Amino acid sequence: MATSKSYTVSQQPYQNGVNHSNNKILLRHPKTRRISGDQYSADSGSGSMVENQIDQSQMSCTGVHVEAVSNILSYQINLGEIGDEVSVGENSNEEYKDSQSKISKQSGKMRKRKDSVKVRLNKKNQDSPRSSAISRDSGLDVNTSPQSPEKVSPVTQAGHPPLQRTAKLSELCIVTIVIPATIMTGSRGMGASLQFRFGPYTKIEFLRISILKQFSERFKIPPSELSKLHLCHYLEEEEGWEWLEEERSLNHYNLPRECKVDLKQYDATYHDVRVVLPHLSRTLYVEFDQFSTCGDITRQVLEVGEPDLRARDGYNLYHVRNRQSLDVNESLVNYSILSDDILECRMALGKMQSVVIVVNIPSIKSIRKMKVSLDETVGELISTLKRRIPDPDNPKWRHMQLFMVSRKEADPGIWMDDYKFLASYKLQNEDKLEFKPKYRPMIFELSGGVSSRDVAYQNPELLIGENTTVSMVIDLLCQTCSLEYDPLFYGLYLHDEVELPKKAKLWDYLDGRFSYGYQDTMVLHLKPRPVLIQLEGNDESKSIMKFDFSLPCRILRNNLGRKFGLRNSSFYALKYQGFLLNLELSLHDQGVMEDHPVTMVRQDRRVSEPFSHEPPVATKGEATSDQLTENEIKKIQRESFLVEDFDCHIWLEGEDSDRNIRYDKKKGSKEVLVTAATFNKLVEKLTSSSDHDMQFVKTFLLTYQSFTTPESLLMKLIERYNVIRPVGMPMKNFSMFRTTIQVRVVNAIKLWMETGREFKDNAAMQENVLAFINDTLKYDHPLHCRSLRTALLVVKGVASKKMGKTFSEQPPAIKYPRKTGSVLSLFDFDPEEIARQLTIIDYSLFMKIKPSEWMNQAWNKSKKKHLAPNLLRMIERMNNLTFWMATAILSQADIQDRVRRIILFAQIAVHLYKMQNFSSLAAILDGFLCGPVDRLKKTFAKCDKSTIKKVEEMQKVFSPSHGFKALRQELEHASGPCLPYLGIFTSDLTHLDDGNKNFTDDGLINFTKCRLIYNRIRDFLIYQDNPYNFEQITALYNSLTKFHFLDLDTLYDVSQRVEPRAAGK
């Protein structure tokens, strides 16, 4: 008899990220089950649970994706190989029983029963070996009884049939055993299954042991996992489950000859799944146990989701990921249900028509036509699209949805819900859909005194829709992060401290330079309020500034120290209404009111904080020990010729003199050039407040590594940023003086990060720049924060740099091969097209060469692969092209084929010369001159003389005589795109580096050498600004990207074979 089943409904609140109530329906399967006259009792536990989510904004089935599920074929075990008849007994032999007893003992409930079946056997039968119903064919132990059927005494008890008799193969039961998908997934997304043949009188206990052994061996499942499982089968008429008692046989349960039996746990185990009612636009959450069938869940979901529905027989569950209708009599646990899977409860549809739609994917610039069936859901179409896009696991596809473009241009389109059928949108042929992000993830920073009580919300990330406004985000952040003040007091800011309008849409502020789905953090903090600040004893310093009252007073003090040009702000404190403010507390916490004065006063050095490297100040009136006077400068001034010696602060270097900087004035020109200087003076010149020479800036940033390190330069620039006020300079003039220098320091760091490679793999320097932005720059010059942060994020690879040039003209038409066929050789293409593809590849490598790779002969250093990776990659490609060309010629055994190859490469060289690709041209000309090819006199004699003459003329251009004079003239007169021969630059820069010293005799940096090197590298940079307008042919491009060639010794051997020495005589 099957277990009884009842359903109860209870109302309970449900929390799912937001506070709202839902209906909670519990499907209870009591654990009191009727088992062949015996009774197992257990406490009733909670069964399947369905939860109705009310929040309409969360009803879309986001997160639908396809995951690979291992398909395990069902094994069929054909038992009974002994002949037409098999002796079938009740028990297996004692040895096998003992070997498997450990598995059976691991389940405490397996042997629980109220009575036991006693079996009387005659003495002769007790002494004989016990037989098994399992064949050797299954890999299990098989023992046949030596007793003939006639000699076995039939024994019956409690209505049992005889315990042992002879069974024909045709009478064996075919039993399909299924285990839950949570333990092992088989085919079609269901639990793994095996098929067995057992005698009808096989004892359930030994049947179970045999089955568990096979599952363990076949699927490598640990016995500890299997020992929890017990046999049961589903009774369709009574809609319940029945356990198979281990002391009974298969025949006792009147199972059909071909039946299915499940392996389940006694104790209830619960799982969650989301069920969608597409026709109602409702989402329900179901908690089910191992006894919940798909039919149970379907009926209960319809009772909750659509209680007025009467005809429910036509509905069933549909697995969206597997595209599979679920069997109503099958346990849901037998299907592979992942945590984010979606089941649809829908009416079984008849045959639906198909339409051809146009799907646009803007992110990859793809437009494709697709034939879809209208009985598919939007989620299924999304899954199909994700399988056809490159890198589908990339996070940028996570929030992509389908947008239906309106047929009328004036009407806006609509977003398609992924749980609805395509038929519900009345799609027609040629309708247009767009596959694009419906939400964008944005990170928000809680700045200053704004902090969440929950650590998880310190930098919250929200999914922002295209219509989400600033005020909506502020309200949500205040509620989610439990912020202290009313949302009206908060503002949302970019890192340039520009407050976003409350009604503005956040999508309007996304930066296209950032990688898809990422956006630089926005900052939430209290709106700054005005405060009157003043330096004690200096009336002209009085001014009103806006400050965030939630920040600690220490930040305000340091900010004022830089504003007033103090040498060491740690010697100062803040005073309000006669009381000193606590630097660790905020203005708000200490009762400071808006527009009230806060004075910066000097403290006694003995009670001050440790010395910090901040600039001194010169106040009006009598000089104090904290001011920088001319006498003090002369007293502490010292020679700082060695760059590594940083004892001399940059603001203590003193005035310009022959001891620290030297100039050279060009004849007939007002231009004055720096010839030699100390490191401090070069940094001063780099960030001068009066004379800003951009040519000097570029020269310095490109060549500084010849006399210092990147870490030293960054430290010196930040030191320069902390400006001190010279003695006697009015505060108004100092404000402009300070601002100019600080802005030029920021611009120098930004240009340095954009043009150099020093920050790329240096995490310490990246953190130093970020700390400078967050701790200093955003309080002094917030408008410059965003540009510097963007440059830093480009270095980190988070944001992409806007590059590339658009062409006003169309590229030349592609010259496809005249030969047709499914298989084409590279050499079937036109020589001009081959030259174009070579040029495209060369320019892509050429563009990646950084200016720093030309410095200090980096290509010759021991760490050259790290210092000049792109330059070496370009040189390596030229060498490989030479060997590949020689291999292509010598691989032809027939002389006429070699002649055709030589003529082809000669034609390619002519086109490269016209395209001004002197890089690949040099490699091909070297291929003609390499020994294994050059010795083919007989082959060259059969070549067209005009072709050979053109090759010889181009070789004269590359003659190294007179320092590549002919080639230099070609480069000088080149117009349009050009790829120069790199050998000229390596030669020139080597001579400049070896022929000039880095330092003068008195220890100053030789900046004249830096300028000479920069001018030569600048000529190289000019060629990188003019790309080629050619169209790429993917197949040909890929063939030319990586060359396959023979080494030089092998080429000589091949050359000797194809044209022996005697053949040339």
Side-chain angles (χ1 to χ4, degrees):
M1 181 176 177
T3 61
S4 59
K5 181 166 55 178
S6 62
Y7 301 103
T8 60
V9 180
S10 62
Q11 299 287 340
Q12 298 180 20
Y14 175 65
Q15 300 289 335
N16 186 25
V18 292
N19 295 324
H20 59 269
S21 298
N22 292 306
N23 296 328
K24 198 180 253 191
I25 294 85
L26 304 179
L27 299 181
R28 296 196 180 274
H29 293 262
K31 295 184 183 177
T32 301
R33 298 176 179 83
R34 185 81 172 175
I35 306 180
S36 62
D38 297 333
Q39 189 83 1
Y40 283 91
S41 297
D43 294 335
S44 175
S46 60
S48 299
M49 177 180 66
V50 183
E51 296 174 348
N52 176 18
Q53 182 170 339
I54 303 299
D55 187 3
Q56 297 294 326
S57 64
Q58 299 294 328
M59 279 200 280
S60 63
C61 302
T62 56
V64 180
H65 64 282
V66 179
E67 294 188 8
V69 180
S70 59
N71 293 323
I72 301 175
L73 298 178
S74 298
Y75 292 91
Q76 180 173 353
I77 302 176
N78 298 315
L79 308 179
E81 192 181 68
I82 302 176
D84 291 338
E85 294 186 354
V86 177
S87 179
V88 183
E90 178 186 0
N91 299 323
S92 62
N93 59 68
E94 295 293 338
E95 180 181 357
Y96 179 71
K97 181 177 178 181
D98 293 339
S99 66
Q100 295 297 319
S101 61
K102 294 182 179 179
I103 297 178
S104 62
K105 289 179 181 179
Q106 292 183 30
S107 178
K109 294 186 178 182
M110 190 188 78
R111 297 182 178 276
K112 285 187 179 181
R113 55 188 181 274
K114 289 188 176 181
D115 59 353
S116 61
V117 179
K118 298 180 181 180
V119 181
R120 291 189 299 111
L121 299 176
N122 56 37
K123 183 176 180 181
K124 188 174 182 179
N125 192 41
Q126 290 177 355
D127 297 335
S128 64
R130 300 187 180 184
S131 61
S132 172
I134 312 295
S135 164
R136 294 184 182 91
D137 205 30
S138 67
L140 305 179
D141 293 337
V142 178
N143 291 280
T144 58
S145 174
Q147 303 295 330
S148 61
E150 293 78 7
K151 296 181 180 180
V152 176
S153 300
V155 179
T156 61
Q157 181 171 344
H160 282 259
L163 296 176
Q164 185 174 14
R165 70 178 181 86
T166 301
K168 295 182 180 180
L169 287 177
S170 60
E171 297 179 357
L172 295 179
C173 297
I174 301 174
V175 184
T176 302
I177 308 296
V178 182
I179 64 173
T182 53
I183 296 180
M184 174 60 67
T185 304
S187 60
R188 299 185 300 108
M190 296 183 63
S193 63
L194 292 177
Q195 194 175 85
F196 298 82
R197 293 178 186 269
F198 291 105
Y201 305 106
T202 305
K203 197 173 180 180
I204 300 297
E205 177 182 1
F206 300 104
L207 185 147
R208 173 179 173 273
I209 293 174
S210 303
I211 290 171
L212 296 185
K213 178 181 177 183
Q214 277 297 320
F215 273 103
S216 178
E217 292 178 352
R218 298 275 183 171
F219 302 121
K220 308 300 180 183
I221 305 175
S224 59
E225 292 289 333
L226 295 173
S227 64
K228 305 173 184 177
L229 305 179
H230 300 272
L231 295 171
C232 63
H233 73 109
Y234 183 70
L235 302 178
E236 297 183 16
E237 296 180 357
E238 302 183 33
E239 296 184 357
W241 292 88
E242 184 177 28
W243 293 105
L244 303 187
E245 187 182 2
E246 295 181 352
E247 289 298 325
R248 305 299 187 190
S249 65
L250 284 175
N251 189 59
H252 177 81
Y253 295 98
N254 296 322
L255 297 175
R257 183 173 175 272
E258 295 186 11
C259 59
K260 184 175 75 71
V261 177
D262 287 32
L263 281 167
K264 296 183 181 295
Q265 297 185 35
Y266 277 139
D267 297 329
T269 57
Y270 302 101
H271 311 274
D272 295 320
V273 69
R274 180 165 52 163
V275 180
V276 175
L277 294 164
H279 59 290
L280 298 178
S281 300
R282 297 189 67 180
T283 301
L284 306 175
Y285 287 83
V286 177
E287 183 180 297
F288 60 95
D289 63 11
Q290 71 269 38
F291 305 106
S292 304
T293 64
C294 299
D296 295 338
I297 295 176
T298 301
R299 286 188 292 272
Q300 197 66 13
V301 165
L302 291 175
E303 287 179 9
V304 177
E306 198 170 3
D308 297 332
L309 182 65
R310 295 182 179 180
R312 298 171 181 171
D313 295 338
Y315 287 84
N316 62 347
L317 291 179
Y318 183 80
H319 197 306
V320 175
R321 176 170 57 85
N322 291 341
R323 297 188 175 188
Q324 176 184 19
S325 293
L326 308 186
D327 189 349
V328 294
N329 295 326
E330 189 70 57
S331 296
L332 188 58
V333 75
N334 287 345
Y335 291 94
S336 176
I337 306 295
L338 304 179
S339 59
D340 53 358
D341 272 350
I342 296 174
L343 303 182
E344 292 180 353
C345 183
R346 67 189 193 185
M347 175 71 74
L349 299 175
K351 187 175 181 181
M352 298 288 291
Q353 65 173 349
S354 299
V355 295
V356 177
I357 58 174
V358 180
V359 180
N360 179 22
I361 309 178
S363 57
I364 59 175
K365 300 180 180 178
S366 172
I367 299 177
R368 59 186 66 183
K369 290 188 176 182
M370 299 181 62
K371 185 177 181 180
V372 297
S373 176
L374 295 181
D375 63 345
E376 291 185 16
T377 63
V378 177
E380 291 177 89
L381 180 55
I382 291 175
S383 299
T384 302
L385 289 171
K386 287 185 177 181
R387 288 195 297 269
R388 297 183 181 181
I389 58 179
D391 192 15
D393 296 329
N394 194 305
K396 73 180 183 180
W397 305 110
R398 187 176 302 164
H399 307 291
M400 301 288 281
Q401 293 290 329
L402 281 172
F403 181 81
M404 184 176 178
V405 180
S406 176
R407 300 185 186 100
K408 298 180 181 179
E409 296 183 0
D411 297 339
I414 59 172
W415 288 101
M416 305 176 71
D417 296 323
D418 53 1
Y419 52 81
K420 289 186 177 181
F421 292 101
L422 294 177
S424 63
Y425 291 98
K426 300 180 181 180
L427 288 177
Q428 301 176 7
N429 287 323
E430 301 300 324
D431 274 354
K432 297 180 180 179
L433 306 182
E434 291 184 355
F435 190 48
K436 59 183 182 180
K438 185 176 182 180
Y439 302 100
R440 300 277 183 89
M442 287 190 181
I443 300 175
F444 298 88
E445 178 183 327
L446 306 181
S447 178
V450 180
S451 60
S452 173
R453 299 170 186 173
D454 190 347
V455 178
Y457 291 112
Q458 291 301 322
N459 290 291
E461 180 180 281
L462 302 179
L463 292 180
I464 304 301
E466 59 181 347
N467 294 321
T468 304
T469 62
V470 172
S471 60
M472 293 167 60
V473 171
I474 294 176
D475 292 342
L476 182 59
L477 289 175
C478 290
Q479 179 183 3
T480 305
C481 302
S482 301
L483 301 184
E484 182 178 358
Y485 303 105
D486 189 273
L488 296 175
F489 294 103
Y490 292 97
L492 196 61
Y493 299 81
L494 299 174
H495 274 281
D496 52 11
E497 284 300 300
V498 174
E499 183 178 3
L500 304 184
K502 290 295 182 68
K503 295 184 179 180
K505 296 180 180 180
L506 284 178
W507 273 32
D508 297 337
Y509 293 91
L510 288 174
D511 194 332
R513 283 173 291 180
F514 292 93
S515 58
Y516 202 13
Y518 183 88
Q519 188 265 335
D520 192 13
T521 56
M522 293 185 178
V523 184
L524 178 75
H525 60 72
L526 290 173
K527 295 180 180 180
R529 292 181 284 172
V531 60
L532 180 64
I533 51 96
Q534 179 183 3
L535 181 64
E536 187 180 36
N538 192 327
D539 294 336
E540 65 175 348
S541 65
K542 185 182 297 184
S543 62
I544 295 178
M545 66 177 292
K546 287 190 174 182
F547 188 74
D548 185 351
F549 274 42
S550 65
L551 295 174
C553 290
R554 181 186 300 277
I555 296 177
L556 176 61
R557 184 202 60 179
N558 294 339
N559 188 8
L560 294 178
R562 293 187 296 270
K563 182 180 180 66
F564 296 142
L566 300 180
R567 181 178 179 183
N568 194 335
S569 61
S570 61
F571 295 154
Y572 289 80
L574 298 178
K575 182 181 290 187
Y576 175 70
Q577 294 184 351
F579 297 94
L580 292 179
L581 296 177
N582 188 331
L583 296 178
E584 304 303 326
L585 300 179
S586 66
L587 296 177
H588 178 270
D589 294 337
Q590 300 183 73
V592 178
M593 305 296 293
E594 292 184 17
D595 298 322
H596 283 215
V598 175
T599 306
M600 195 168 188
V601 298
R602 183 175 177 81
Q603 297 184 101
D604 191 342
R605 288 176 183 262
R606 292 173 295 181
V607 297
S608 66
E609 301 173 12
F611 178 80
S612 68
H613 294 285
E614 295 195 1
V617 66
T619 58
K620 187 176 181 180
E622 185 177 357
T624 66
S625 58
D626 192 45
Q627 295 175 337
L628 185 65
T629 63
E630 293 184 5
N631 293 333
E632 185 179 9
I633 292 175
K634 292 180 181 180
K635 182 177 180 180
I636 64 176
Q637 187 179 21
R638 51 165 295 171
E639 294 180 347
S640 57
F641 300 143
L642 296 179
V643 175
E644 291 77 9
D645 188 356
F646 292 112
D647 290 340
C648 182
H649 195 281
I650 191 170
W651 288 102
L652 304 180
E653 180 73 17
E655 298 295 332
D656 293 354
S657 66
D658 288 341
R659 297 171 60 87
N660 53 31
I661 189 168
R662 294 169 191 163
Y663 297 93
D664 180 29
K665 185 176 182 180
K666 290 185 176 181
K667 295 182 179 180
S669 174
K670 296 181 180 180
E671 184 179 5
V672 178
L673 302 177
V674 176
T675 59
T678 61
F679 185 36
N680 282 336
K681 284 299 176 182
L682 289 179
V683 175
E684 284 186 21
K685 180 72 175 175
L686 179 71
T687 58
S688 174
S689 61
S690 57
D691 180 22
H692 188 60
D693 185 357
M694 197 61 194
Q695 198 70 14
F696 177 89
V697 173
K698 293 181 178 179
T699 303
F700 179 91
L701 293 178
L702 180 62
T703 62
Y704 76 91
Q705 291 191 73
S706 62
F707 52 82
T708 190
T709 63
E711 293 78 9
S712 301
L713 176 58
L714 181 60
M715 186 180 72
K716 189 61 67 174
L717 285 171
I718 295 177
E719 190 177 273
R720 173 71 171 168
Y721 179 88
N722 294 312
V723 184
I724 62 172
R725 184 162 66 95
V727 176
M729 179 178 287
M731 191 62 70
K732 290 184 179 180
N733 296 344
F734 172 70
S735 178
M736 184 178 296
F737 173 77
R738 171 183 57 82
T739 301
T740 303
I741 292 176
Q742 290 178 342
V743 170
R744 285 183 175 166
V745 168
V746 173
N747 290 336
I749 296 176
K750 178 175 176 290
L751 181 62
W752 183 17
M753 287 193 294
E754 291 175 345
T755 58
R757 295 178 52 88
E758 297 83 338
F759 289 87
K760 183 65 176 178
D761 301 317
N762 196 327
M765 290 188 63
Q766 294 176 11
E767 291 301 320
N768 288 338
V769 173
L770 186 61
F772 169 70
I773 295 172
N774 293 334
D775 299 340
T776 302
L777 188 60
K778 77 175 183 180
Y779 301 112
D780 297 343
H781 304 286
L783 293 177
H784 294 276
C785 285
R786 187 163 177 79
S787 61
L788 194 58
R789 283 178 60 90
T790 301
L792 180 60
L793 291 173
V794 170
V795 169
K796 289 184 174 182
V798 175
S800 59
K801 185 178 180 181
K802 290 183 178 179
M803 299 178 61
K805 178 182 178 180
T806 57
F807 298 97
S808 58
E809 300 179 356
Q810 292 293 326
I814 296 176
K815 294 186 176 182
Y816 290 101
R818 295 180 180 179
K819 178 182 176 181
T820 59
S822 58
V823 179
L824 292 176
S825 169
L826 181 152
F827 300 103
D828 294 330
F829 284 85
D830 188 276
E832 183 177 3
E833 195 59 56
I834 296 176
R836 290 174 184 171
Q837 301 303 310
L838 286 172
T839 302
I840 295 174
I841 297 172
D842 292 344
Y843 189 79
S844 65
L845 295 175
F846 181 76
M847 276 295 298
K848 295 178 182 179
I849 300 177
K850 300 294 183 182
S852 58
E853 298 184 37
W854 295 104
M855 287 301 303
N856 302 323
Q857 302 183 47
W859 61 91
N860 287 330
K861 302 296 183 182
S862 59
K863 297 182 179 180
K864 56 186 177 182
K865 291 185 178 180
H866 174 72
L867 298 174
N870 299 300
L871 178 58
L872 292 177
R873 199 173 292 118
M874 188 77 176
I875 295 173
E876 182 184 14
R877 174 170 175 80
M878 293 173 59
N879 295 333
N880 293 345
L881 177 57
T882 299
F883 282 100
W884 172 74
M885 171 190 166
T887 303
I889 294 173
L890 293 172
S891 63
Q892 304 302 308
D894 184 74
I895 188 171
Q896 293 299 329
D897 292 336
R898 292 198 299 275
V899 169
R900 282 191 286 270
R901 288 287 171 90
I902 290 176
I903 293 175
L904 176 67
F905 279 108
Q907 293 172 343
I908 294 174
V910 171
H911 289 295
L912 289 172
Y913 180 77
K914 293 179 181 179
M915 297 172 188
Q916 301 180 129
N917 182 356
F918 296 102
S919 179
S920 287
L921 177 59
I924 289 181
L925 295 179
D926 285 344
F928 284 118
L929 296 175
C930 72
V933 176
D934 186 54
R935 63 173 298 277
L936 301 176
K937 305 299 182 184
K938 187 176 180 180
T939 304
F940 278 102
K942 290 183 175 293
C943 294
D944 181 55
K945 293 183 178 180
S946 61
T947 302
I948 300 302
K949 184 177 180 181
K950 291 179 181 179
V951 172
E952 293 175 349
E953 290 175 354
M954 289 185 289
Q955 288 174 343
K956 291 179 181 179
V957 174
F958 283 83
S959 173
S961 60
H962 305 287
F964 293 97
K965 181 179 179 181
L967 182 57
R968 292 180 189 274
Q969 290 177 351
E970 289 283 348
L971 293 175
E972 185 178 350
H973 294 93
S975 60
C978 178
L979 280 168
Y981 174 57
L982 300 183
I984 291 183
F985 293 95
T986 55
S987 176
D988 293 349
L989 291 171
T990 299
H991 288 307
L992 288 174
D993 193 45
D994 293 340
N996 297 275
K997 297 180 180 180
N998 289 335
F999 295 91
T1000 62
D1001 294 338
D1002 53 356
L1004 297 181
I1005 297 169
N1006 184 4
F1007 202 72
T1008 300
K1009 175 184 176 179
C1010 298
R1011 189 176 290 106
L1012 292 172
I1013 292 176
Y1014 170 76
N1015 290 336
R1016 193 68 188 104
I1017 298 177
R1018 181 187 58 186
D1019 296 338
F1020 168 83
L1021 298 176
I1022 293 174
Y1023 296 112
Q1024 289 186 326
D1025 295 333
N1026 208 345
Y1028 286 86
N1029 185 18
F1030 294 147
E1031 189 172 351
Q1032 178 179 315
I1033 302 177
T1034 305
L1036 182 57
Y1037 181 93
N1038 294 337
S1039 299
L1040 295 171
T1041 300
K1042 189 173 182 179
F1043 298 120
H1044 300 279
F1045 51 85
L1046 303 175
D1047 59 82
L1048 187 60
D1049 293 337
T1050 306
L1051 287 173
Y1052 266 111
D1053 294 340
V1054 175
S1055 179
Q1056 292 286 351
R1057 287 198 302 269
V1058 298
E1059 193 169 316
R1061 291 182 182 276
K1065 296 181 181 179

